[in-house]
Structure formats: C-alpha cells, structure tokens
C-alpha cells in the first residue's frame, strides 16, 4: 500500500523534504497534490479528524500525519531510517533545519505571509541583507560543525537529516547564488555531504526523473536578483 | 538526579514551554541559566559534542537535548506524559505551536533578528497588523477545532501540548490585550483549557511561586502598545 503524500502542486516547497526521504528509502507513494491539484488537496485536508494545519502531510491508514519533522521522525521509526540511539539528535537537527527554512521564507515575506513579495519589497531587502550576512553563516556553520568528520550526520548511513541538508543547500544555491559562491568554501563537510546525498541511488534516480520539480518563485527558495549579493 | 534546564535568564521565552511541563509533571530540575546567568549558559552550550543551536536545552546524563518540541517529545516518552497512540498527533500540534511562536517573534523582529525592535518599527507595524487580523485567528481557530469537545487535547489528561497552549494564550493576552479581548469569545474551548491547565496542581503551585517569570520586552511575547488593536 503506497503512502499518499499531499502537498501544493507546482512548487517543491516543504513537501520536497518528505519526497526526498521517500525516494531515498524506496518507499512507494502517490504524489496526490501534484496529480490531482490544489482543490483536491484542500478537500482532502478537511477529511476525518485530527486535521493538519497545513500541507505537507502523509495520509496512511486513514490518518493524516503533518509537519515535516514529525513526518520524518515517524518514517524513521517505522522504516528504521536511523539508529534508535541517534533519533533524538536527528530530530533536533531536523527542527533546526525547519527553523532555517522558516527564516528563508521570511526573507521574501517578512511582514505579510498572506500578501505577495512585490507588496513587501523594501522590507524583504532588509530581511535578505541580515539573512545573508548573519543567519545563513550561523546556521551553515552550525551544521558544518555538527557533521564534523562524519560522512553522514549519524549512524554511518544517510538519514532524513542528510537528504534535508541536501535540499537546503540546493535551495540556498538557487536563491542566493552569489552569496553561496562566496561562502561555500567555509563549509567543505556540508558540500561533500550534498554530493554524497546526490549519489544515493534512490536520490540519483529521482533527480533524473520528471518527478523532481525545479525551484521557482512560488516556493520557499526564490531567486530574486535584488535579494542576492556576495 | 534533577534535570538541568538551560535557558536565557530574565525572560520566560521558549524555556517556559519546557518549565511548565517539568512543573506540571513534578519532575525535579535546576534552572541553571536563571541561577547562573548568561555567561555560564554560553559556556555550558559549548560543552561536549552534539551541541544545541540555541537554548532551551535539557542536560541529562551528559547529553544536551534541544529544540522545544524535541525536548517535550523526549520527556513524554521518558515519563509517559501521554498515551503512546496519541504521541504523533501531539508532536504535530506542538510543532504547529512552535510555528505560531516563531510568527509571534517575527511580529516585533520582522526584518532583523539581530537588531532591536526600535530599529524595525515600521516593518513591525505591518507585520503586527497582518498577524492580528489573519494569522492569530487562523492558528487559534485551528487549535479550537483540534480540541473540539475534549477537556484535554488527547488521552483524557493534560499533556505538554495543553501546558503549551496555556502559555500561548497567556502570552497573546499579554502582547495583544485589545485584540485578544475582541476575539477570545470565538475560542471557548481553548479558554476553558487555559483555565483547566491553570488549575493543574503542579501548575497552580508554580504560578504562585517566585519561579514563574513575568512576560517582558526581552521575550517572545512583548507588549508594545502600538502593535495592538482590536
């Protein structure tokens, strides 16, 4: 029985952190939001009890499991995607990735989640400057140190935190190509991890497929020329 | 052996979500950051491996467990604070509370986490308006529906999500007294839950003690007159 993944169609967004784990682990799933569209997603979200606040969510056995870190922790336990003794640490890292992703979204939507970027461009310019200069090095430096000499974040094999860091770096390279080009040299372990995740067989096959969606300006990682700088 | 809780002294902040659970469950702890100050906290944060990105964290048996939702999930498993079958749902709700708390912080720091409120007042005014009008009712309405007819969020007893919703409502009342006064009537189940948590013996004793810190303008929930409105 495949999982039903529900997320907004047309953007990788937060759904991609779940997709990458399903693909890397070879877990069968249907990408329902992509296949059936936003109206079907909104209708499905209201089904049953214990509803999600927002996509992405995984529907399985009648329940809807939402919140990226919660989904990944649940998949980790169910499919043994990381050693038991590392799971608290990995969940902690995953939540720190979530914090960074929220700050990335805040760069282009600093004052109004419900309004468009073009309605908050001056505020976004300020938010982007401090994100590029302070927050981005602080988070990436933390993950670099957490990785240390390890090939993977824990347990000697890939886990959801590794695929999530891959997506984070891919997204940051898309959103801030100039900034990333100037700072990447400070994070050799993270960049090596990115390349290692890219070569995981399930990930390599996925990236080659038409299931992998390109970043775009409806998603979390958006490339606005005016928000990037060295 | 009591837990060592480490959080910034002088503000309830995110540490309070952990304190409330320790107090409600009667788990002995030392509030190390409050007792020893910020320098001691910063020194402790760098000890060992697998370091936290930020406080709060719980140090126990040599490890540091960070990220509020991760700490509460770990305490729930260790001290059986909720039925096993409800834990994924409760973790999902806790993460949604974390999302709302991050948006609350963003209201007074929309463009620069590292700068002061007075350096971003016009942006904060815009962020506050949309938070009050759109985000606050969306989140509270969601929690109200999630609670439904239940006395507690799950399992027929208090769990960390309940004490966290208590703190969320207390904080919103402090930050937005006018707005909360005008919308609270829409959330009768949540307000009843707030009162119920307040009467949990461990919580009642804590609120009466000098351990409970008042909200202030160094924390997450800040009362700036100009950011509130009906």
């Amino acid at each position: 029985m495949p999982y039903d993944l529900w997320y907004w169609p047309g953007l990788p967004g937060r759904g991609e952190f779940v997709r990458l784990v399903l693909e890397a682990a070879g877990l069968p799933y249907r990408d329902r939001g992509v296949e059936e569209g936003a109206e079907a997603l909104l209708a499905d979200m209201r089904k049953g009890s214990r509803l999600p606040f927002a996509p992405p969510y995984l529907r399985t056995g009648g329940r809807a499991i939402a919140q990226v870190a919660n989904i990944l922790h649940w998949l980790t336990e169910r499919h043994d995607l990381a050693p038991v003794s590392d799971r608290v640490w990995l969940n902690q890292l995953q939540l720190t990735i979530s914090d960074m992703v929220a700050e990335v979204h805040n760069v282009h939507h600093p004052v109004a989640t419900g309004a468009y970027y073009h309605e908050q461009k001056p505020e976004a310019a300020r938010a982007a400057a401090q994100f590029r200069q302070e927050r981005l090095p602080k988070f990436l430096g933390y993950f670099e140190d957490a990785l240390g000499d390890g090939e993977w974040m824990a347990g000697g094999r890939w886990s959801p935190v590794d695929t999530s860091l891959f997506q984070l770096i891919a997204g940051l390279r898309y959103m801030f190509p100039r900034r990333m080009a100037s700072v990447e040299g400070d994070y050799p372990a993270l960049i090596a991890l990115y390349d290692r995740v890219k070569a995981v067989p399930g990930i390599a096959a996925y990236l080659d497929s038409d299931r992998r969606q390109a970043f775009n300006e409806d998603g979390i990682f958006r490339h606005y020329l005016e928000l990037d700088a060295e």
Side-chain angles (χ1 to χ4, degrees), chain A residues 4-202:
Chain A
D4 283 321
L5 172 65
W6 284 96
Y7 190 65
W8 303 112
L11 61 154
R14 285 183 172 84
E16 197 68 8
F17 294 95
V18 181
R19 262 182 219 113
L20 285 169
V21 172
L22 295 169
E23 296 278 355
L27 298 169
Y29 69 102
R30 293 187 298 180
D31 211 337
R32 299 285 299 272
V34 169
E35 289 165 20
E36 298 169 41
E39 299 233 352
L41 164 61
L42 289 168
D44 186 82
M45 257 182 84
R46 295 190 199 97
K47 282 183 193 159
S49 58
R50 300 194 162 183
L51 307 181
F53 180 75
Y57 62 93
L58 217 53
R59 194 173 278 289
T60 168
R63 45 197 306 219
I65 298 171
Q67 284 280 1
V68 170
N70 189 48
I71 299 169
L72 300 190
H73 188 65
W74 184 85
L75 285 171
T76 297
E77 297 203 325
R78 190 151 196 219
H79 299 284
D80 201 23
L81 302 181
V84 173
S85 62
D86 291 321
R87 288 179 194 168
V88 173
W89 166 240
L90 290 169
N91 188 47
Q92 178 175 321
L93 288 170
Q94 192 69 48
L95 291 171
T96 308
I97 293 169
S98 292
D99 286 348
M100 189 178 188
V101 168
E103 292 197 23
V104 165
H105 187 267
N106 191 63
V107 164
H108 48 77
H109 278 75
V111 293
T113 314
Y116 292 104
Y117 165 63
H118 67 76
E119 298 174 271
Q120 47 197 311
K121 286 178 74 167
E123 294 94 341
R126 271 195 80 183
Q130 88 111 24
F131 182 84
R132 286 192 316 265
Q133 288 155 29
E134 295 169 32
R135 304 302 288 172
L136 185 145
K138 182 167 178 171
F139 276 106
L140 294 189
Y142 173 75
F143 294 126
E144 176 80 9
D145 291 345
L147 192 52
D149 298 330
E151 288 208 350
W152 307 101
M153 199 54 94
R157 52 151 300 180
W158 75 266
S159 77
V161 161
D162 298 305
T163 55
S164 297
L165 286 171
F166 165 84
Q167 181 66 6
L168 193 63
I169 291 165
L172 291 170
R173 283 178 169 177
Y174 174 78
M175 186 162 172
F176 300 111
R178 295 177 63 195
R179 181 63 178 152
M180 284 299 279
S182 75
V183 301
E184 272 193 22
D186 295 338
Y187 314 112
L190 266 184
I191 301 305
L193 177 72
Y194 171 94
D195 292 331
R196 219 171 276 128
V197 170
K198 203 172 169 180
V200 168

